[in-house]
């Protein structure tokens, strides 16, 4: 069992109308806990219901060219960094004021950009400027985003600049510019208002059980959810469960600029969380493909962005005969930081054949 994490988020009515939703979790307390609740006992090596959820404030959403960015914040909380198959817990420091979060997506395709590089600079009422490079993170309410605990300083108005370097992740269609883009936000930091954000303690008979709380309703922002099996945009060859994650494998004779028919087949693997279907980025996947009684492919599946498939892992396979079998291996777990409920999952994988 690994050391695990502590806070998730819940949608609360933010400055730009971010919706509040708790699913069936019940009444929201608006009094902040004086300390983080204990972690659930006997946490499974799988996605589990966390001990509590918190509200968040969203100062705004901005667009620049084809990209969009949403900035939000909540209470500072513990989270886990992932290094290979190990986790390192990051505890709240005494000077931490908020947990800042950034979500970035492509407005033309509606695809979240997990592998973007993000930097945040904030200037407070005293004129002091500080910067932070947030971690790529995964939470049960927000999916993939970038975040970190941040020490702001005095209460008052803050100007925030989010600098995003779009990812060089392979795309199935038209390539997008990778020049840095900037987004500007402002908000008023008030500790009493922060303390008034919703906070819900999940009942003891639910916390720690396998499952997940509902994703938030981010209204104008986009969540990093993969399409359902029924809505998968290419024919599904099969599905499997491994490492606590779900895996969907599909093939297509043609897909964007990567597979154009004439003996080529595109093999796409979507690795996602159970329950909420959040994509699991920064993993290393490989596959073997058999056709005509022969091994026609044995190699890596490349992280790829597609307008319909979203973030997935894929490869072009040359085969004159119909594909008979695909075996997918997760060679390295998703190297993404985790919030409570995901920190014990997605590490120990076995092969999936379809």
């Amino acid at each position: 069992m690994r050391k695990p994490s502590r806070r998730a988020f819940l949608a609360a009515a933010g400055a730009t109308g971010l919706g509040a939703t708790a699913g069936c979790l019940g009444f929201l307390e608006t009094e902040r806990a004086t300390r983080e609740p204990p972690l659930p006992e006997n946490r499974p090596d799988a996605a589990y219901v966390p001990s509590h959820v918190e509200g968040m404030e969203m100062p705004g959403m901005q667009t620049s060219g084809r990209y969009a960015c949403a900035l939000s914040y909540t209470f500072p909380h513990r989270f886990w960094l992932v290094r290979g198959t190990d986790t390192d817990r990051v505890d709240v420091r005494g000077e931490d004021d908020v947990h800042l979060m950034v979500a970035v997506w492509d407005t033309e395709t509606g695809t979240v950009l997990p592998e973007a590089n993000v930097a945040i600079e904030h200037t407070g009422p005293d004129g002091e400027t500080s910067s932070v490079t947030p971690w790529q993170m995964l939470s049960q309410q927000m999916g993939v985003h970038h975040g970190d605990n941040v020490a702001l300083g005095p209460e008052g108005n803050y100007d925030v600049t989010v600098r995003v370097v779009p990812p060089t992740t392979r795309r199935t269609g038209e390539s997008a510019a990778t020049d840095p883009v900037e987004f500007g936000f402002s908000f008023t930091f008030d500790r009493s208002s922060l303390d008034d954000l919703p906070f819900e303690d999940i009942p003891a008979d639910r916390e720690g059980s396998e499952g997940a709380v509902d994703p938030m309703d981010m209204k104008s922002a986009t969540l990093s959810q993969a399409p359902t099996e029924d809505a998968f945009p290419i024919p599904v060859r099969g599905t499997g469960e491994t490492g606590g994650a779900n895996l969907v494998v599909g093939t297509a004779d043609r897909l964007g600029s990567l597979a154009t028919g004439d003996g080529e087949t595109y093999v796409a693997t979507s690795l996602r969380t159970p329950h909420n279907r959040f994509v699991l980025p920064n993993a290393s996947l490989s596959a073997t493909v058999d056709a005509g009684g022969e091994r026609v492919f044995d190699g890596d599946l490349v992280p790829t962005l597609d307008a319909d498939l979203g973030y997935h892992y894929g490869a072009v396979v040359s085969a004159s005969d119909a594909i008979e079998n695909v075996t997918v291996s997760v060679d390295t777990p998703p190297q993404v930081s985790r919030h409570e409920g995901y920190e014990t999952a997605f590490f120990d994988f076995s092969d999936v054949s379809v």
Side-chain angles (χ1 to χ4, degrees), residues 36-105:
E36 292 175 316
L39 285 166
E41 296 182 358
N42 301 317
R43 300 180 312 277
D45 290 331
Y48 68 88
V49 177
S51 63
H52 69 289
V53 289
E54 302 166 348
M56 57 175 263
E57 191 78 14
M58 184 169 154
M61 190 272 287
Q62 301 289 332
T63 59
S64 179
R66 68 181 291 173
Y67 297 113
C69 175
L71 176 72
S72 56
Y73 63 88
T74 186
F75 312 122
H77 48 249
R78 289 177 288 192
F79 56 88
W80 278 254
L81 303 178
V82 174
R83 307 184 191 282
T85 57
D86 297 323
T87 57
D88 294 328
R89 192 175 73 192
V90 177
D91 291 314
V92 177
R93 303 166 301 176
E95 64 269 26
D96 289 332
D97 293 307
V98 296
H99 185 83
L100 277 181
M101 297 169 286
V102 170
V104 183
W105 66 98

Side-chain angles (χ1 to χ4, degrees), residues 1-6 38-51 80 87 89 207-210 340-345:
M1 183 70 68
R2 296 173 179 79
K3 302 174 184 176
S5 140
R6 176 82 324 195
L39 285 166
E41 296 182 358
N42 301 317
R43 300 180 312 277
D45 290 331
Y48 68 88
V49 177
S51 63
W80 278 254
T87 57
R89 192 175 73 192
E207 67 173 24
S209 60
E210 289 196 30
E340 183 184 347
Y342 282 152
E343 79 283 357
T344 59

Side-chain angles (χ1 to χ4, degrees), residues 283-296:
S284 296
L285 274 67
S286 60
T288 59
V289 180
D290 298 326
E294 297 181 354
R295 178 68 39 89
V296 295

